[in-house]
Amino acid sequence: MRSLLLVASLMLALSCKREKTDAPENIQAGTERSDVAAAAATPKEIIICDQKNARIIMVDIANGNAITWEWKATAAYAMIRAGAQGWFSNLSEAKLVYNGKYILATASGGGVALISVASKKAIWFDYAGGNTHSAELLPNGNVVTASSTGGYLMIFTVDSYINDNSAQTGQIAFPDVHNVVWDHARQRLYAAGLNKLRVYSYNNSCNSPALSLITTYTMPEGNAHDLFPVYGSTTDLWLTNSGHIYKFNVTTGAFTLQKTISSVKTVSSGPSGYQTIIAQANNTGGETWRTNRILDINSAVVYSNTALGLYKARWKLVNTFSYPAGDSFHECTHP
């Protein structure tokens, strides 16, 4: 009997030892699984102009391609009067501004708007006309637009108390201009149309805003389309035309060919782990200039959705080339 009791005691001790030894391994394994899940859940979003559905969306490609945000000019939250909603047909560009808190949007219908990401309210909007392809923030809070039809830039005095009746300059002629980008470090404005890239200075005036042409560069080919900073660079801009993607160096004026590829409407790059993405028209989504997918620069599919008709797409990343660190909303007229 005493021997049986001794054997039972030894077996119980060994069992307890195994349980105590296993427990830390189970906890550690659980911790590792949680860390992996948390890392997978880190958002990696693309801002897309979905013309087919008359909206701007954000898509999180790190989490099942979920649409995390949507904006429509016709929605009540946008606070755009009925008579002005048509200005936002065929949304053409959506830029993240003011440290990621706002989106600056344009549309081929002629509209331009500054939209709060949190509330989705267009805190300022107006009409630029002429197939508005792009807009940019200026240092004092004013906005400059680029309109390809009619070929002109225009500066608006942004006042959140005044919508669709802003003070604005006359048209600054630039044939077929499709884009506009501010350079914060050099205090310069770049815009491209046809085979010309122009550099302007800005007088930073609230009451009498004006641009002055500094120099003009001739591109290797014509039909300029997209112009946007190369992420992390202090000197380079992405530039596309009918059949090529270039990098343009703002200090040397050099155009360096990156890719021979047709109908690229937009290029956007990011830090390590982010592909350089493009929106290349493929005659889907209801119009010849649209696409239903986003590719990387080597034409691999990054995101695809047959329900979309997209025009431009950019990573949801803060643009340090154009805007100062921690930049927050400000306007000329009301502090």
Side-chain angles (χ1 to χ4, degrees):
M1 179 64 73
R2 189 176 293 115
S3 298
L4 290 173
L5 288 172
L6 181 59
V7 170
S9 298
L10 286 171
M11 291 179 66
L12 180 61
L14 287 171
S15 176
C16 290
K17 186 176 181 180
R18 280 196 298 270
E19 289 176 2
K20 289 177 181 177
T21 302
D22 291 345
E25 293 177 1
N26 291 337
I27 292 169
Q28 182 64 34
T31 302
E32 289 173 354
R33 284 194 295 272
S34 297
D35 290 344
V36 170
T42 301
K44 191 176 178 183
E45 295 172 288
I46 303 173
I47 304 171
I48 298 173
C49 289
D50 177 15
Q51 291 188 347
K52 183 177 180 179
N53 299 289
R55 62 183 181 168
I56 301 167
I57 57 175
M58 295 182 190
V59 175
D60 186 355
I61 65 166
N63 289 280
N65 295 330
I67 295 176
T68 58
W69 189 89
E70 177 186 87
W71 183 86
K72 289 187 174 185
T74 54
Y77 56 68
M79 300 292 285
I80 293 177
R81 64 177 178 83
Q85 291 170 0
W87 301 346
F88 295 92
S89 61
N90 285 338
L91 288 150
S92 55
E93 185 176 62
K95 287 181 177 178
L96 197 68
V97 298
Y98 288 134
N99 205 34
K101 304 298 184 184
Y102 294 83
I103 283 177
L104 181 62
T106 57
S108 294
V112 55
L114 188 60
I115 302 159
S116 165
V117 173
S119 70
K120 301 185 182 180
K121 177 185 176 182
I123 63 168
W124 171 83
F125 65 93
D126 214 317
Y127 181 76
N131 195 354
T132 312
H133 262 77
S134 182
E136 183 61 293
L137 282 180
L138 294 168
N140 58 1
N142 287 343
V143 166
V144 57
T145 58
S147 297
S148 59
T149 301
Y152 58 89
L153 304 173
M154 184 182 290
I155 301 172
F156 291 82
T157 299
V158 173
D159 183 344
S160 59
Y161 287 73
I162 301 174
N163 285 312
D164 65 70
N165 194 27
S166 307
Q168 56 197 256
T169 65
Q171 297 179 2
I172 303 162
F174 191 164
D176 202 43
V177 64
H178 270 70
N179 48 68
V180 64
V181 171
W182 180 252
D183 180 346
H184 171 66
R186 298 166 188 81
Q187 296 290 289
R188 293 291 183 261
L189 188 75
Y190 308 99
L194 296 180
N195 69 335
K196 304 298 181 184
L197 190 150
R198 294 180 179 175
V199 185
Y200 298 88
S201 63
Y202 174 55
N203 67 356
N204 214 35
S205 170
C206 286
N207 297 323
S208 301
L211 299 176
S212 297
L213 180 63
I214 296 174
T215 191
T216 300
Y217 295 97
T218 299
M219 297 165 49
E221 295 88 18
N223 299 318
H225 199 276
D226 195 35
L227 188 69
F228 199 73
V230 173
Y231 184 89
S233 175
T234 59
T235 59
D236 290 337
L237 303 176
W238 293 110
L239 173 67
T240 72
N241 63 11
S242 297
H244 305 84
I245 299 174
Y246 292 92
K247 283 184 180 177
F248 171 72
N249 187 294
V250 301
T251 59
T252 66
F255 298 89
T256 304
L257 181 64
Q258 302 297 304
K259 201 77 176 178
T260 299
I261 185 170
S262 64
S263 302
V264 174
K265 302 304 181 182
T266 185
V267 183
S268 181
S269 51
S272 177
Y274 283 71
Q275 305 99 312
T276 295
I277 57 173
I278 63 173
Q280 181 188 25
N282 66 356
N283 301 325
T284 61
E287 297 290 352
T288 58
W289 59 83
R290 297 176 186 165
T291 182
N292 59 5
R293 61 186 187 173
I294 297 166
L295 310 175
D296 70 14
I297 200 167
N298 296 312
S299 298
V301 176
V302 175
Y303 171 72
S304 179
N305 188 332
T306 57
L308 271 57
L310 69 87
Y311 187 63
K312 287 185 182 179
R314 304 202 190 279
W315 288 116
K316 187 186 178 186
L317 295 168
V318 172
N319 173 5
T320 57
F321 180 91
S322 297
Y323 320 119
D327 196 21
S328 59
F329 172 71
H330 52 279
E331 51 194 323
C332 269
T333 310
H334 289 88

